[in-house]
Amino acid sequence: MKRGKGRKLITYAAVAVFWLALWQIAAMAAGSELLLPSPVSTAKTLWELMKTGRFWLSLGSTLLRVAAGFTLGVIAGTLLGAVTASVPFADALLSPLRSIIKATPVTSFIVLLLLYVSPVRTPVAVSLLMVTPIAWANVSKGVTGTDPQLLEMAKVFRFSRMRTLKSVYVPSVLPHFLAAVSTGFGFAWKSCVAAEVIALSRNSIGKALYESKLYLETAELFAWTAAIILISMALEALLVRGIGRLANDKR
Amino acid sequence: MISVKNVGFAYKNSVTGEKEKPVLSGFSLDIPEGSAVCVTGSSGRGKTTLAKLLLGLEKPDSGEISGLEGKRVSVVFQEDRLLTWYSARRNIAAVLTGSRAENAALTDELLRETELTEAADKPIRELSGGMQRRVSIARALAFGGDLIILDEPLKGLDEELKRRIVPRIRKRFKTILLITHSADEAKLFGCEKTIKLD
C-alpha cells in the first residue's frame, strides 16, 4: 500500500517536472518575459503577490462569490432536478429553460446581467447560472434512474415518504449529485472569474487579471492564473472528498 | 379467505401503450387462512404477476381479488431488492416502525433465525448471494403480517439451510403463498394445495 502511494507520488512529480521543463524551454525559446514568463519568474511573482494584502483580499472576495453562486446553483439545480424528474408537466414546462441556459454563451450572460445587477453581484449570478443546469441534469438523471423495483419494495413495506426519500432516492441520486458538484465547481470558478474580468468587480481576481493584462505584467497574469488553477483543484478535491465522507457517515 | 376470482391481466407495451397478450386470463385461486398454497409453472406463466396483483402493485384488468382488505401482506420478492448501500441489519430494520429498542431486539432475533448474526453489519455488497437471500427473508419476517408471498424464496440456499429456515418462516406466518419451480420446496413448506399455471 505504502509502496504504491510512493510510486504514485513519484509519477506525479515526474509528470510535473516534465511539463515545467517544457514550459521553461518554451520561455527560453520565446526569449522575452513579456511574451512568455518562465515558471521560475511566475513562481517568484506569485510569491511576491502572496505577500500583499491585495492578493488575499481579491482571493477572499472571489472565493466568497464562487461559494455563493455555486451553493445557490446546486440548491436551485437539485430542486429543479427533483421536481422535473417527478412531475412530467413541470419537466415539459421547465426543460426549455435548461436548454436555453446551457446553450447561451457565458459572455452573453455576463453582459446581459451587467444591465440589471451590480458588477459585484454579476459573478455570483453567472456562477449560479452555470451550475444550475449541471446540478439539474444530474439530479434529474439520478431520480429517474432510481431502481423501480426498490420503489415497489418501499411501497409494499409501507415506507413513509421521508423513509423512501432517505433510504431509496438519496443514495440513488448521490453519485450523480457528486458528479454535479465536481463538474459544477470548476464551472462556477471559471465563470465567476470571467465575469469579474468583464464586470471589473471590486476586489477580485478577475479585476487583478485584467489589470495585469492592461499594464503588460505578463508574469503577474501567469501568477494569478496559476493561483486560480491551484486553488480550484484543491477546493474541488476537498469538496468532493468532504461530501463523499458525509454521505458515507449518514449511511 | 383470500380469493382471486377470474382474474385477467396484461402488461402495457412501454412503447405503444397498448395492452399485450394477457399473462393471466380467467385465473382463480383461494388461499384459506392458516394454509400454505403453492403456485408452480414454467417461466412467463404469470406467477410473479400474480404476486404483484396480490401486493397491489398492479390492478387486474378483469375479475377481482378479495379478502385482503385491511390485511398486511409481506413478501420475499423473486429478486432480493435490498438497499445495497445499507448493512443487513439496516435492511431489516428499515421495514420496522416500533421503538428503537423493540426494533433492535427483533432485528437481532431475525438475524439469528436466518443465521446472519456474523454478517449483520457488513454492507450488502459484501454478502454472498445466499446471504443476501436470507436478508430478504429476514426483512419479510420483520415486516410481519397476515399473509406472506414467497417468490422463489430459497434460491441460492443449500439443502441443510433450507431445512432449518423453512420451519422458522412457517412459525411466523400461518398463511403462505409460495411461488416455486420446485416440488421439493413445496413439500418442505407443507403446501396443502398446489396450483399449476400453464
Side-chain angles (χ1 to χ4, degrees):
Chain A
M1 188 86 170
K2 258 188 181 171
R3 187 183 262 186
K5 231 177 191 180
R7 196 169 287 176
K8 228 179 196 180
L9 271 176
I10 292 168
T11 313
Y12 284 148
V15 169
V17 167
F18 171 78
W19 287 108
L20 286 171
L22 205 66
W23 178 5
Q24 179 68 38
I25 292 164
M28 282 158 73
S32 160
E33 284 285 311
L34 203 67
L35 269 180
L36 183 61
S38 68
V40 177
S41 71
T42 302
K44 267 188 195 162
T45 312
L46 181 59
W47 179 248
E48 290 306 317
L49 273 176
M50 283 167 70
K51 288 182 192 165
T52 63
R54 176 178 153 242
F55 177 84
W56 296 107
L57 186 64
S58 304
L59 183 69
S61 307
T62 297
L63 270 179
L64 272 180
R65 288 188 197 110
V66 174
F70 172 74
T71 310
L72 291 172
V74 167
I75 294 171
T78 303
L79 290 175
L80 284 164
V83 169
T84 52
S86 327
V87 186
F89 176 70
D91 186 38
L93 186 73
L94 296 168
S95 58
L97 190 66
R98 191 173 75 194
S99 307
I100 290 168
I101 299 173
K102 268 172 76 179
T104 307
V106 67
T107 42
S108 303
F109 273 131
I110 300 167
V111 175
L112 274 171
L113 281 163
L114 275 170
L115 292 174
Y116 312 106
V117 188
S118 73
V120 172
R121 288 191 185 147
T122 298
V124 177
V126 169
S127 295
L128 183 152
L129 283 168
M130 289 299 108
V131 175
T132 301
I134 297 170
W136 183 348
N138 277 269
V139 169
S140 171
K141 200 173 161 192
V143 174
T144 49
T146 301
D147 187 350
Q149 291 196 333
L150 285 184
L151 293 172
E152 280 185 354
M153 179 279 294
K155 192 177 169 194
V156 168
F157 289 121
R158 300 182 186 178
F159 280 25
S160 64
R161 277 188 184 187
M162 192 42 101
R163 186 166 278 190
T164 306
L165 183 72
K166 203 181 141 208
S167 303
V168 183
Y169 278 114
V170 171
S172 304
V173 172
L174 195 66
H176 301 273
F177 178 77
L178 284 179
V181 166
S182 169
T183 319
F185 189 76
F187 271 89
W189 185 244
K190 281 186 274 191
S191 58
C192 181
V193 174
E196 286 175 345
V197 171
I198 296 174
L200 296 176
S201 318
R202 195 165 18 98
N203 300 327
S204 68
I205 293 180
K207 194 178 177 198
L209 265 178
Y210 179 79
E211 284 171 351
S212 309
K213 183 219 136 201
L214 197 65
Y215 301 122
L216 294 174
E217 297 278 1
T218 318
E220 206 171 287
L221 195 65
F222 270 68
W224 277 111
T225 309
I228 293 168
I229 294 168
L230 290 173
I231 295 163
S232 172
M233 281 164 69
L235 286 177
E236 192 183 312
L238 274 176
L239 201 66
V240 170
R241 199 170 291 181
I243 292 179
R245 197 166 291 174
L246 192 76
N248 277 334
D249 288 350
K250 292 274 174 204
R251 278 175 185 182
Chain B
M1 168 97 82
I2 297 154
S3 279
V4 178
K5 267 190 203 145
N6 287 321
V7 161
F9 180 81
Y11 285 101
K12 266 187 189 168
N13 183 299
S14 57
V15 180
T16 61
E18 282 172 20
K19 288 277 186 182
E20 290 176 339
K21 195 177 150 217
V23 185
L24 288 172
S25 149
F27 179 76
S28 297
L29 166 76
D30 284 334
I31 310 170
E33 268 171 46
S35 70
V37 172
C38 176
V39 175
T40 62
S42 47
S43 295
R45 298 290 170 193
K47 300 191 298 294
T48 297
T49 304
L50 173 66
K52 282 190 166 190
L53 290 166
L54 287 164
L55 288 165
L57 294 172
E58 299 286 357
K59 295 261 173 285
D61 296 330
S62 57
E64 60 167 5
I65 295 172
S66 60
L68 281 173
E69 303 77 21
K71 288 211 165 87
R72 202 173 160 90
V73 184
S74 192
V75 62
V76 174
F77 290 103
Q78 193 177 34
E79 318 79 17
D80 293 315
R81 302 196 188 192
L82 297 171
L83 301 166
T84 51
W85 36 85
Y86 283 167
S87 64
R89 186 188 298 281
R90 284 203 67 181
N91 265 279
I92 300 165
V95 302
L96 298 173
T97 49
S99 72
R100 191 172 281 204
E102 282 169 0
N103 292 351
L106 181 57
T107 305
D108 280 339
E109 197 179 321
L110 290 168
L111 282 165
R112 269 197 306 278
E113 284 186 21
T114 47
E115 303 180 23
L116 283 167
T117 307
E118 309 248 308
D121 297 306
K122 283 189 183 165
I124 291 298
R125 292 185 191 95
E126 288 177 22
L127 303 185
S128 68
M131 283 170 140
Q132 292 190 19
R133 200 66 190 143
R134 278 181 277 153
V135 178
S136 172
I137 293 173
R139 177 180 62 189
L141 298 182
F143 185 67
D146 309 286
L147 165 73
I148 188 167
I149 297 172
L150 303 160
D151 197 350
E152 306 286 356
L154 306 176
K155 202 170 54 180
L157 306 190
D158 62 56
E159 294 306 315
E160 279 301 307
L161 202 53
K162 282 181 189 176
R163 264 188 272 279
R164 289 199 298 273
I165 298 258
V166 170
R168 294 170 190 162
I169 299 175
R170 290 245 48 181
K171 196 182 89 191
R172 287 185 178 269
F173 282 92
K174 300 295 167 223
T175 312
I176 292 174
L177 177 71
L178 173 70
I179 296 167
T180 183
H181 282 102
S182 157
D184 288 343
E185 283 180 14
K187 215 167 158 188
L188 206 57
F189 273 93
C191 290
E192 283 97 346
K193 192 159 69 174
T194 298
I195 310 280
K196 195 166 182 197
L197 267 170
D198 278 321

